[in-house]
C-alpha cells in the first residue's frame, strides 16, 4: 500500500511540474506577444509623426532633408523618443536608415518630378529582461509645391 502511495505521489509531482513548465512558457509567450504589439504600435506612431513632419514642412523656407524627419528629438539612430507613461510605456521609437532621392521623374506630378523618401521606423518595448522590437519601412513621394 505504501509503494502505491509513493508511486502516485511521484506521478502527481511529475504532472504538477510539467503543468508548471507549460504555464511558465505560455506566460512568456503572452508577454512577448503583448510587447510585440506595443512595439508595432510604437513603430506605427513613429511613421505617423514622420509623415506629419514630411507633409507639413514649408518647402519654400528650406529643402527638406532626412534630418528634418526626426521623431521628437531624433537626429541619429539611438537618440530615440522614450515613453514613460500611457499605452506605450517602456517603449522607444527611432527613425533609422532615412534616404532621399531628389527629382525622381513622375508623370502624374504637375512639375514632372517628386522627391522620394524611404525611412524605417524602429520601436523597442519591454520590461526587465524581456524586450521585443518591430520596424516598419515606408516609402513616400512628395511633390515640390513652389
Amino acid at each position: 500500500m505504501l509503494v502505491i502511495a509513493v508511486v502516485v505521489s511521484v506521478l502527481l509531482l511529475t504532472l504538477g511540474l510539467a503543468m508548471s513548465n507549460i504555464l511558465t512558457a505560455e506566460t512568456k509567450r503572452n508577454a512577448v506577444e503583448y510587447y510585440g504589439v506595443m512595439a508595432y504600435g510604437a513603430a506605427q506612431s513613429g511613421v505617423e509623426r514622420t509623415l506629419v513632419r514630411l507633409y507639413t514642412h514649408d518647402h519654400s523656407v528650406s529643402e527638406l532633408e532626412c534630418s528634418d524627419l526626426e521623431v521628437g528629438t531624433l537626429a541619429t539612430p539611438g537618440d530615440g523618443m522614450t515613453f514613460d507613461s500611457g499605452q506605450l510605456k517602456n517603449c522607444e521609437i527611432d527613425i533609422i536608415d532615412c534616404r532621399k532621392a531628389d527629382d525622381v521623374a513622375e508623370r502624374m506630378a504637375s512639375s514632372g518630378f517628386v522627391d522620394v523618401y524611404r525611412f524605417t521606423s524602429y520601436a523597442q518595448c519591454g520590461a526587465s529582461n524581456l524586450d521585443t522590437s518591430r520596424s516598419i519601412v515606408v516609402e513616400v513621394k512628395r511633390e515640390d509645391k513652389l
Side-chain angles (χ1 to χ4, degrees):
M1 196 63 158
L2 181 62
V3 173
I4 294 174
V6 169
V7 169
V8 168
S9 295
V10 168
L11 286 175
L12 288 175
L13 176 65
T14 304
L15 181 62
L17 289 174
M19 291 299 292
S20 175
N21 286 340
I22 290 171
L23 287 174
T24 301
E26 190 62 33
T27 301
K28 186 171 182 175
R29 271 190 233 113
N30 286 338
V32 168
E33 179 69 22
Y34 173 77
Y35 285 114
V37 168
M38 282 179 58
Y40 182 80
Q44 183 66 34
S45 295
V47 166
E48 291 170 4
R49 290 196 57 180
T50 303
L51 290 175
V52 166
R53 286 184 180 247
L54 178 66
Y55 285 107
T56 60
H57 180 78
D58 186 0
H59 187 76
S60 63
V61 174
S62 65
E63 182 71 24
L64 187 67
E65 298 299 331
C66 276
S67 61
D68 298 320
L69 298 179
E70 53 197 42
V71 175
T73 58
L74 305 181
T76 58
D79 287 341
M81 182 171 62
T82 302
F83 295 91
D84 295 326
S85 63
Q87 295 297 320
L88 297 178
K89 185 175 182 180
N90 299 324
C91 291
E92 182 177 337
I93 302 172
D94 203 354
I95 298 299
I96 56 175
D97 192 33
C98 181
R99 297 180 185 171
K100 177 185 175 190
D102 291 321
D103 298 328
V104 176
E106 175 68 47
R107 52 177 205 197
M108 298 300 289
S110 59
S111 66
F113 297 97
V114 294
D115 293 336
V116 178
Y117 298 86
R118 184 176 197 267
F119 60 90
T120 302
S121 177
Y122 173 83
Q124 181 175 356
C125 298
S128 62
N129 63 349
L130 178 66
D131 286 324
T132 60
S133 62
R134 300 290 186 266
S135 61
I136 300 174
V137 179
V138 177
E139 187 171 286
V140 180
K141 296 178 181 180
R142 182 175 189 265
E143 182 177 3
D144 295 339
K145 295 183 179 179
L146 299 176

